[in-house]
Amino acid sequence: MKILLIIAWLFSFPLNSYAQKTSVMKTDQTQEAEIKNVIENYYFKGIYEGNTELLRKAFYKDALLFGDIKGVPYFKTAAQYIEGVGSRVSPQKSGKDFKPTIISIDVINSIATAKLNVKMYDFNYYNFITFNKINGEWFIVNKTLTDVQP
């Protein structure tokens, strides 16, 4: 009898009371399209053209960039990165190949991540970009990158 009472007592607790709500985690296609627009029309296009105005529209002013390039640690603020892009010869002007690819985009509420591959000059970059929706607009708030040799 005690065992039946214990079993009945255990089943009286909701089994999913501590489970994560997956409905919050579904990807909103509209949000994903907005992020894709930022990536393609501001980030990729800004890099390709060396267009600092487009990059300023993509990056939150206090965004940070971390990673490694050819094994050398890399750290810049968004302002330093954008200035660097503006002062180099752009892939467009150099005539070198520029092949950007969106590998994935994941959105949860007002945050998102994107995994990108950007082949330019002699580099094969993998970028992990973090977005935040601020005042109704998606901005890059963090970028991590690495250069992978073929």
Side-chain angles (χ1 to χ4, degrees), residues 6 11 15 17 28-30 37 39 46 66 76 81 86 105-106 108 117 126 129-130 134-135 147:
I6 291 172
F11 280 111
L15 294 177
S17 64
D28 180 339
Q29 298 299 340
T30 302
N37 178 59
I39 293 169
F66 299 92
K76 291 192 179 192
Y81 170 72
I105 298 173
D106 293 307
I108 302 173
N117 180 230
Y126 280 88
I129 308 287
T130 305
I134 302 168
N135 296 324
D147 173 46

Side-chain angles (χ1 to χ4, degrees), residues 40-119:
E40 292 177 342
N41 295 310
Y42 299 116
Y43 181 67
F44 286 161
K45 190 173 181 182
I47 294 170
Y48 177 68
E49 296 175 358
N51 187 326
T52 57
E53 289 305 311
L54 290 177
L55 290 171
R56 280 189 194 93
K57 290 180 182 178
F59 281 88
Y60 181 70
K61 64 180 178 64
D62 295 324
L64 298 175
L65 294 80
F66 299 92
D68 60 81
I69 300 173
K70 298 195 182 291
V72 177
Y74 179 93
F75 167 78
K76 291 192 179 192
T77 65
Q80 291 170 324
Y81 170 72
I82 292 167
E83 181 182 318
V85 170
S87 66
R88 71 178 181 213
V89 175
S90 70
Q92 181 183 40
K93 289 181 181 168
S94 74
K96 301 257 183 175
D97 284 343
F98 180 76
K99 296 179 184 172
T101 305
I102 298 173
I103 297 170
S104 65
I105 298 173
D106 293 307
V107 183
I108 302 173
N109 298 327
S110 66
I111 63 167
T113 60
K115 181 178 179 183
L116 313 173
N117 180 230
V118 180
K119 294 178 182 178

